[in-house]
Amino acid sequence: MDKPHTDKPARPDWHTYFMEITELVARRSTCLRRHVGAVIVKNKRMLATGYNGAPAGVTHCSETGCLRARLNVPSGERHELCRGIHAEQNAIIQAAFHGVSIQGASLYCTNQPCSICAKMIINAGISAVYYKDGYDDPMSLEMLAEAGVELIRLP
């Protein structure tokens, strides 16, 4: 009897699987500074995805240019001076738009959430955030910890 073919890639664990999907989602980003993807998961099922970019029907920064770059606004500051919406926000909004409860879900994201996204994550009832890359926002870390939202950095 022939042996099964054994040189196929290993089956990814759940964290790897969802994190790799966030990287694919991030490729849809129209931001000129950073491409971020997010996936909301509950019971090993994807409920919503989001990437950073301008709201639906609004001209993308890839076409208009980056106001923050023109004004030399450092990363993590003056979020209101941006046409885009963050990936985490888009994922939460997509779930709400389609009537999908995300209470008790986990959020996978290519980057650690900022403080604005942390507030939305907390109030949406998301219980854990898995992320790949850091983001310099100590307030985000403080609020997530105080609210009991697990924050786990994956390799």
Side-chain angles (χ1 to χ4, degrees):
M1 180 176 235
D2 290 337
K3 290 185 178 182
H5 197 277
T6 58
D7 61 347
K8 65 181 181 177
R11 186 174 186 208
D13 63 50
W14 288 107
H15 293 306
T16 302
Y17 174 71
F18 291 123
M19 192 55 71
E20 286 181 1
I21 292 171
T22 67
E23 292 169 0
L24 178 62
V25 171
R27 290 175 46 196
R28 292 278 307 152
S29 171
T30 57
C31 180
L32 298 174
R33 285 186 156 190
R34 181 188 313 243
H35 291 185
V36 181
V39 176
I40 299 175
V41 174
K42 190 172 186 179
N43 299 323
K44 299 179 183 169
R45 303 289 183 261
M46 288 188 298
L47 303 178
T49 65
Y51 54 87
N52 59 327
V58 175
T59 307
H60 296 287
C61 301
S62 55
E63 298 171 47
T64 64
C66 179
L67 175 61
R68 294 170 57 80
R70 281 197 304 270
L71 298 175
N72 293 315
V73 177
S75 180
E77 296 179 15
R78 305 289 313 270
H79 292 285
E80 74 280 5
L81 294 177
C82 180
R83 299 178 68 77
I85 185 165
H86 291 186
E88 304 94 319
Q89 295 167 352
N90 261 331
I92 291 168
I93 291 165
Q94 284 303 309
F97 185 86
H98 293 288
V100 176
S101 173
I102 56 174
Q103 183 177 8
S106 296
L107 183 137
Y108 287 80
C109 194
T110 54
N111 293 83
Q112 174 194 314
C114 71
S115 57
I116 295 169
C117 290
K119 291 182 253 187
M120 291 181 69
I121 287 165
I122 292 164
N123 277 1
I126 292 172
S127 59
V129 174
Y130 297 90
Y131 69 99
K132 182 180 172 187
D133 294 322
Y135 186 74
D136 188 21
D137 191 336
M139 182 184 286
S140 170
L141 301 175
E142 292 168 15
M143 286 191 298
L144 291 168
E146 184 178 343
V149 177
E150 286 186 89
L151 185 63
I152 301 108
R153 188 172 191 166
L154 298 175

